[in-house]
Amino acid sequence: MTDAAVASLSLDDKELAKEIEASVEVGENASLGKLKELGVSFKLYSHPETATIDKQAEHLGHLPGVLTKNLLLRDKKIGTFLITVLHDRPTDTKTIAKLLKLGGKANLRFADEETLEGLLKVKRGAVSALAVLNDTGNAVTLAMDKALMEQPIVNLHPLRNDRTVAISTAALLQFVHAAGHEPTMLDFDSVPVAPPPGPAPVKEKNRSDSKNGGDKSTAVAKASASTPGQTLLGIDVSKKDNFALWYTRVITYSEMIDYYDISGCYILRPWAYSIWESIQRWLDAEIKELGVENSYFPLFVPKSVLEREKDHIEGFAPEVAWVTKSGDSDLAEPIAIRPTSETIMYPLFKKWIRSHRDLPLSLNQWSNVVRWEFKDPTPFLRSREFLWQEGHTAHATFEESQKMVMDVLNLYKKVYEELLAVPVIQGRKTEMERFPGGDITTTVEAYIHGSGRSVQGATSHNLGQNFGKMFEIQYEDKAGGHAVPWQTSWGLTTRSIGVMIMAHGDDKGLVLPPRVAPKQVVVIPIVKASLSAENKAALQSYAERITTDLKAAKIRVHLDHRDNYTPGWKYNHWEQKGVPLRLEVGPMDLDKGTARMVRRDSGLKVDLAAEAVVHTVLHVLEEIQANLFAKCKAERDKKLVKVWEWRDFVPALEEKCVILTPFVNETEWEEEVKRRSREEALAGESEDARTATSAAAKTLCIPFDQPDLPPGTKCFVSGKEATCWVLWGRSY
Ligand code: 87F
């Protein structure tokens, strides 16, 4: 991190504003002039150009006040709208049209650059509500987030994106009124993320068993008429049509996630936490096999210690969350909440590593970390607090440390492939993408077929002797001399659960790999009201016997014997929750001594003899695990292509491919690919750069498994001689 960036974190913001205001000609800028004229107080910040909200957050995220997303939308028939909303709002045109109450026929589009400059006289990337000042003809309707009005301070670009003004929302309203605009308020609470609970048709997927009353329509009518509150929302959007919304539906309807009042923070409900426990159980045992011990270090980092290692913090500073007060009193020194624990642990490493006999020192901790992200948050994939394990080891030789890096990376591959059934590619990060505090970053990269994006699954770093030197970790080696240890650090987070959900889920909801499913089998007795008490009891004990047998074989099984839900409702419920196998037991099964097994992954139904249930279930669970992996790998492999020339690169990206190219592996060329791929993909259209997903390609890794690279092979972008094959993609 540069000194200036460190300073901007700790400098009192009033001082910063004063310092900056002095260097800006307020009078030159019409919007600032207007604010002065109105006599409202404001602060002005200067920063490099920030054309996107992410960039703005990078430079200003630590200051008071909220950031906004601003867009100019247009419907040729209805008119033009300047939308100013809180930074984490969904801003797809459908949602906005709904909030503006434009009716189903509206056709909102992002206004082009020409319209923008014509009407508001600002460049793209510099738009804010302050731009209505230039709309003297009142051609634009200003629409503002209702919730914004509850915020004390808002940060906005004053017609240029290398400046930001902080003003009160009251002052902002005064400003827009003075500019002749009465803003329309957008109430996002009226468009919930998940639809409100309400009656939805329950599909009775009962088999037409005459004894069970197979008339579907009657069954549905009964379910909703006689048992209010028994309705179940179905996933009403397909994975293919709207992946983001589909994901939101799946994680909420499956009872994995609930939302919280702080943006970017989520509740991991038992169904999700149990999956994390499965991952923990397996990985924890394997880590211990490598000789690593668990420990726990404090959540807090003193400011001076966090900032001691500048390279390490470089670029991360805006994401650090600080505690500055206890009650009403300021703390003597601000305290950071751990975003990672290098700076917390290594002062102790210095204390504990004195002799070569103290090595290797291999510690792991299971904990939470906080990184105050400003990109759109996504449950599991990008949240402001997440769970992980972080391992930190110190060794006498580079070779030993590198072995640890690779052993752990291999465990991470197994977590993804053998537990979560998601194939990954192992490799090394390029100079541009590696962790700057270390020497080598290795990674496992997954691919999400539904979105065409890649995800960094987990990383394992060789830190070299950088931290050792920085934290003065020194020991006496065998020869009696002084030596600095070789260190590693590595982490796997709850992001892995999000990757698994995205990889396997379908239009009915979650699909869980049996190895991590909290329940692997659900047994559902088909009890109808018409059944005699005696038959009911017999059926009940039959279902219980099957359940007990499965439990005895260590299968995670649940008997859903609730009598206030219909079988059809239960089928839907457990399908949404992704349980790998369902066993239906009805009166006919009792008579015949059978059970009907239904697979979640394929929908396949088979009638089993009761004696064969345990054996078959064990076998089929393995088959489902293998099938999910194979399906996911086939989908990925279909999209894994080689490209030799630039002209084929962006078209392949557009086809949602992950791309292997011969590459010169120079940072300038990597930047060039990022820039050009974004530009060509957007072809003049605006990227909704405020969202977390970018149109640009980036390097995912230099795969360990390198295809042949005959001497003389040219780099696909620079035309120079290629040095390796590199994997590229759009990523989360
Ligand atoms: C955010 C804020 C402050 C990532 C951050 O990958 C610091 C950091 O150091 C930061 N985000 N990192 C890199 C973490 C490196 C390393 N730490 C141990 C890992 C795995 C676990």
Side-chain angles (χ1 to χ4, degrees), residues 118-189:
L119 290 175
L120 298 178
K121 307 197 175 41
V122 285
K123 294 236 173 293
R124 196 181 292 292
V127 188
S128 82
L130 298 177
V132 292
L133 188 65
N134 291 333
D135 176 34
T136 45
N138 248 324
V140 176
T141 304
L142 175 64
M144 289 165 76
D145 194 330
K146 191 173 157 213
L148 189 58
M149 299 303 119
E150 284 150 31
Q151 295 292 330
I153 298 169
V154 53
N155 296 309
L156 301 158
H157 285 316
L159 315 178
R160 49 191 284 179
N161 61 18
D162 57 350
R163 297 286 185 277
T164 293
V165 275
I167 52 171
S168 70
T169 37
L172 175 61
L173 278 182
Q174 200 183 334
F175 178 99
V176 299
H177 286 151
H181 283 75
E182 180 57 52
T184 300
M185 290 298 161
L186 302 176
D187 183 1
F188 279 84
D189 290 340

Side-chain angles (χ1 to χ4, degrees), residues 185-399:
M185 290 298 161
L186 302 176
D187 183 1
F188 279 84
D189 290 340
S190 68
V191 186
V193 180
V202 179
K203 272 199 205 133
E204 181 80 9
K205 294 196 203 81
N206 220 347
R207 47 195 145 126
S208 43
D209 180 330
S210 57
K211 282 193 191 166
N212 295 335
D215 183 319
K216 290 180 189 172
S217 55
T218 341
V220 174
K222 270 191 204 146
S224 43
S226 61
T227 47
Q230 262 212 42
T231 51
L232 180 68
L233 293 169
I235 310 263
D236 57 347
V237 46
S238 77
K239 188 176 183 181
K240 204 158 141 272
D241 291 345
N242 189 340
F243 185 78
L245 190 57
W246 167 86
Y247 180 67
T248 307
R249 296 279 198 265
V250 169
I251 59 177
T252 49
Y253 291 8
S254 62
E255 300 171 308
M256 282 250 192
I257 284 288
D258 215 329
Y259 289 86
Y260 189 65
D261 279 349
I262 295 173
S263 162
C265 297
Y266 308 96
I267 285 91
L268 298 190
R269 300 183 66 182
W271 202 248
Y273 198 81
S274 164
I275 293 173
W276 183 236
E277 286 176 317
S278 279
I279 296 171
Q280 275 187 312
R281 224 178 355 258
W282 185 88
L283 185 57
D284 193 61
E286 293 289 334
I287 288 173
K288 285 174 179 154
E289 283 293 310
L290 295 178
V292 180
E293 293 176 299
N294 279 335
S295 52
Y296 187 79
F297 287 73
L299 168 70
F300 298 120
V301 205
K303 185 168 186 290
S304 50
V305 179
L306 185 75
E307 289 170 359
R308 183 139 137 215
E309 215 297 281
K310 302 226 192 294
D311 280 352
H312 155 224
I313 280 294
E314 168 144 14
F316 296 131
E319 288 180 13
V320 177
W322 294 91
V323 180
T324 57
K325 279 182 179 269
S326 78
D328 284 338
S329 331
D330 287 338
L331 298 184
E333 190 191 24
I335 289 172
I337 302 176
R338 68 172 162 235
T340 177
S341 301
E342 279 79 356
T343 55
I344 302 174
M345 293 179 153
Y346 299 165
L348 281 301
F349 275 43
K350 172 184 165 71
K351 190 170 157 191
W352 297 334
I353 303 172
R354 292 289 162 85
S355 142
H356 60 89
R357 281 178 293 269
D358 299 325
L359 293 177
L361 176 61
S362 308
L363 298 181
N364 177 61
Q365 79 174 0
W366 291 95
S367 74
N368 59 338
V369 281
V370 170
R371 295 182 185 170
W372 214 255
E373 298 266 3
F374 287 88
K375 289 184 179 171
D376 277 350
T378 308
F380 296 114
L381 287 201
R382 180 179 292 106
S383 55
R384 285 177 165 172
E385 179 185 357
F386 57 84
L387 305 181
W388 73 350
Q389 62 63 220
E390 54 176 320
H392 297 264
T393 67
H395 308 262
T397 64
F398 168 79
E399 288 69 25

